[in-house]
Amino acid sequence: MAIDPTLEYDDNNIFAKILRGEIPNKTVYENDYVLAFHDINPQAPHHILVIPKGAYVSWDDFSARGSDTEISEFVRGVGHVARQAGMVESGYRLLANIGRDGHQEVPHLHVHIFAGKPLGPMLNNG
């Protein structure tokens, strides 16, 4: 398992603090494995973060160490949130920043769900 050593799990990251109840959030969905909440600095009219409750740094870390139940509940949780928020018909974007080049800022796996307007192309041509 090749995990970027510069992104080791830090129990004091903001999402770990949210999971411990030390920082408030606007929860939109929660089960035993997943927490979804509104981003405090939204980049689209609808911007929700979905995180696993386990201490996973990134997608590769999660896919290597997460249990089958954790992984399936996370994927199902993302879909549930998108459906519950009414994003499916008009469309939405999922984004997971992983590692340095992916510009990951918090060393806890998280998926952004963006919706509510045309989001344009993912990358600039140039």
Side-chain angles (χ1 to χ4, degrees):
M1 170 172 59
I3 297 171
D4 185 343
T6 63
L7 287 175
E8 292 180 17
Y9 194 82
D10 176 2
D11 285 327
N12 288 312
N13 76 67
I14 190 168
F15 297 150
K17 290 178 180 182
I18 288 171
L19 287 168
R20 289 192 301 264
E22 297 170 8
I23 297 175
N25 72 88
K26 291 177 61 180
T27 298
V28 297
Y29 176 74
E30 182 173 14
N31 69 21
D32 290 342
Y33 303 96
V34 176
L35 177 66
F37 51 93
H38 290 281
D39 193 293
I40 62 169
N41 185 25
Q43 303 299 304
H46 304 290
H47 185 173
I48 297 172
L49 294 168
V50 184
I51 64 173
K53 288 188 173 180
Y56 301 103
V57 174
S58 62
W59 197 266
D60 57 301
D61 180 25
F62 184 55
S63 66
R65 297 188 311 110
S67 71
D68 290 347
T69 301
E70 288 174 300
I71 293 168
S72 65
E73 286 295 318
F74 184 72
V75 172
R76 289 177 195 275
V78 170
H80 176 84
V81 168
R83 286 188 304 277
Q84 180 179 305
M87 299 174 176
V88 175
E89 186 175 328
S90 61
Y92 59 95
R93 177 172 292 157
L94 296 179
L95 175 68
N97 298 317
I98 307 298
R100 285 185 309 268
D101 286 351
H103 203 294
Q104 183 176 0
E105 296 177 4
V106 179
H108 187 112
L109 173 62
H110 56 287
V111 173
H112 299 260
I113 305 176
F114 302 106
K117 70 176 187 178
L119 297 167
M122 272 300 296
L123 300 172
N124 292 331
N125 295 330

